[in-house]
Amino acid sequence: DTAVSQTPKYLVTQMGNDKSIKCEQNLGHDTMYWYKQDSKKFLKIMFSYNNKELIINETVPNRFSPKSPDKAHLNLHINSLELGDSAVYFCASSQDVILGSGNTIYFGEGSWLTVV
Amino acid sequence: DQQVKQNSPSLSVQEGRISILNCDYTNSMFDYFLWYKKYPAEGPTFLISISSIKDKNEDGRFTVFLNKSAKHLSLHIVPSQPGDSAVYFCAARNTGNQFYFGTGTSLTVIP
């Protein structure tokens, strides 16, 4: 079973459309994330949710809206898509950290979004 | 502002030799460091990590070294194998459980 799964894996859409990427984790983690990998290969965090509450909201256009119906799901909705939104979007999850202990973040396989 | 940097976008190494991947960071509040490996069309997968209270962690062919004073860490792979060819991301975590990634180094191990 895939620990962090996201759909769709590939998405090609026209400018101006609205699209969603879904993510689910079956690891029982409390924190979920969306990362964007752009053409420069930089993995940049977009959002972080902990137990359905928004923790991090980096400088992301408000056309991007995450939604967490429960702590196992974090969906990404994008309105009015632009050419520059073309990227790979990775969902991830991690367990709450106890200060001083180790922790890792687990990634989904990525969703390749192409805006034409 | 990029807090984790990998200045070498690519590296080629002969099979059997040592691969050394480098990473620098700017935030002294990072307390945990990780290396991830990524194959094409897949998500990054966890490889090895090190706490800021240590300077070395070893797991089989993989060793991570941390130099806190220099804000530098490195991943050593020895001996390198063709299956190690992938993109390697360095990551750092702050006390708020936020993970920051470098831009990756593409490693090619030549048979």
Side-chain angles (χ1 to χ4, degrees), chain B residues 50-102:
Chain B
I50 187 168
S51 166
S52 59
I53 62 173
K54 296 185 177 182
D55 55 17
K56 178 182 175 181
N57 187 27
E58 190 172 352
D59 183 3
R61 297 185 297 112
F62 303 91
T63 303
V64 55
F65 294 92
L66 175 63
N67 183 334
K68 284 189 69 177
S69 61
K71 295 192 179 69
H72 178 84
L73 69 156
S74 60
L75 174 68
H76 292 210
I77 307 173
V78 56
S80 300
Q81 299 174 353
D84 297 330
S85 296
V87 177
Y88 289 79
F89 287 95
C90 167
R93 188 199 71 186
N94 64 14
T95 53
N97 205 27
Q98 300 169 24
F99 293 83
Y100 295 86
F101 287 79

Side-chain angles (χ1 to χ4, degrees), chain A residues 54-71:
Chain A
L54 181 64
I55 304 299
I56 300 170
N57 183 356
E58 295 290 321
T59 306
V60 175
N62 57 15
R63 298 182 294 103
F64 290 78
S65 54
K67 287 185 170 51
S68 182
D70 54 62
K71 75 172 193 176

Side-chain angles (χ1 to χ4, degrees), chain A residues 4-66:
Chain A
V4 181
S5 59
Q6 51 184 113
T7 56
K9 182 159 187 174
Y10 299 101
L11 179 60
V12 181
T13 188
Q14 288 188 316
M15 280 176 56
N17 283 350
D18 303 338
K19 291 294 177 185
S20 293
I21 308 172
K22 296 185 177 180
C23 179
E24 176 181 2
Q25 54 95 3
N26 62 8
L27 297 167
H29 287 167
D30 296 306
T31 306
M32 294 186 72
Y33 312 80
W34 276 107
Y35 279 82
K36 178 181 179 181
Q37 186 179 32
D38 58 23
S39 57
K40 296 181 181 178
K41 307 302 182 185
F42 182 34
L43 260 177
K44 185 172 182 179
I45 190 167
M46 301 173 67
F47 301 101
S48 168
Y49 267 72
N50 182 275
N51 278 314
K52 302 194 301 176
E53 291 189 18
L54 181 64
I55 304 299
I56 300 170
N57 183 356
E58 295 290 321
T59 306
V60 175
N62 57 15
R63 298 182 294 103
F64 290 78
S65 54

